[in-house]
Amino acid sequence: RYEQIDYSVKSGQTLKEILKEFSVKDEEIKKIFAILSKSETNKIRSKQTLDIILDNTDKNNKKILSLLIPVSKTRKIQIVKNLETDQLKKEEIVTNLTKRLVLKEGVITSSLYKSASKQNISANVIIEFARLYGFQVDFQRDIKKKDSFQIMYEIFIDETGKTIETGNILFANLKLSRKNNPLYYFDKKGSE
């Protein structure tokens, strides 16, 4: 009777098109759109995953029991049907994130990117690290085997301990030919 769907949004799709794809009738779709704001219905983007639970009692008139729309990494909108009253209710789910500091270091064996990836440093942190040194280091010529790096940066984790996003690099050091090149993060009156 109940069908749970994790639906990956395709490029250019609207919420209405997705619901029609699952045989949800216009009357039910109107109820959903009545409780969603225009900005919330426009938040749907390709490659997002919508969590949908359908009531398949009437195959020609499927009803939404639950619809979960991710708005950002920390905010979701959920529409839930009260089975007794048949009314839809909107709830906002906010994930609280905790900031942690992480220190990663390693020896460069082939390239900075590969060595940092082996330390489970996310691509955006590696790219930012390289950008910080871009004005003083030629990554093709200056880096030799056995050079090393250190990165201290912020991560934001959810209640389960999963990293949701990364923050600023607070300290970076690139040791080239046994010479340290430390960089520190300062934030003075909006100037980093």
Side-chain angles (χ1 to χ4, degrees), residues 34-98:
I35 62 172
L36 287 172
S37 70
K38 189 139 180 100
S39 67
E40 289 167 339
T41 58
N42 291 337
K43 294 279 184 194
I44 294 175
R45 288 181 215 87
S46 67
K47 296 183 183 169
Q48 252 183 344
T49 300
L50 304 181
D51 296 330
I52 305 167
I53 299 176
L54 294 173
D55 182 346
N56 291 329
T57 306
D58 181 352
K59 296 277 185 207
N60 297 321
N61 187 15
K62 293 183 180 182
K63 298 201 172 179
I64 293 284
L65 289 182
S66 174
L67 172 63
L68 188 69
I69 304 168
V71 177
S72 69
K73 289 180 179 179
T74 59
R75 193 171 149 254
K76 295 175 182 160
I77 296 166
Q78 185 169 33
I79 296 170
V80 182
K81 178 167 283 185
N82 182 325
L83 294 173
E84 292 171 14
T85 63
D86 204 41
Q87 296 295 310
L88 293 170
K89 186 174 93 175
K90 178 174 82 169
E91 299 171 348
E92 188 173 329
I93 301 169
V94 177
T95 304
N96 292 318
L97 299 181
T98 305

Side-chain angles (χ1 to χ4, degrees), residues 186-192:
F186 293 97
D187 188 7
K188 274 192 177 177
K189 295 180 184 171
S191 175
E192 295 178 353

Side-chain angles (χ1 to χ4, degrees), residues 62-141:
K62 293 183 180 182
K63 298 201 172 179
I64 293 284
L65 289 182
S66 174
L67 172 63
L68 188 69
I69 304 168
V71 177
S72 69
K73 289 180 179 179
T74 59
R75 193 171 149 254
K76 295 175 182 160
I77 296 166
Q78 185 169 33
I79 296 170
V80 182
K81 178 167 283 185
N82 182 325
L83 294 173
E84 292 171 14
T85 63
D86 204 41
Q87 296 295 310
L88 293 170
K89 186 174 93 175
K90 178 174 82 169
E91 299 171 348
E92 188 173 329
I93 301 169
V94 177
T95 304
N96 292 318
L97 299 181
T98 305
K99 180 166 73 169
R100 297 264 191 268
L101 292 181
V102 176
L103 172 66
K104 300 277 186 161
E105 51 191 348
V107 175
I108 300 168
T109 51
S110 55
S111 75
L112 173 67
Y113 190 87
K114 284 183 183 176
S115 298
S117 293
K118 283 181 186 172
Q119 297 294 323
N120 294 321
I121 301 171
S122 64
N124 62 321
V125 172
I126 299 169
I127 291 164
E128 178 63 11
F129 181 84
R131 188 192 68 76
L132 291 172
Y133 283 100
F135 64 93
Q136 72 185 55
V137 175
D138 180 337
F139 285 93
Q140 299 297 320
R141 292 189 201 126

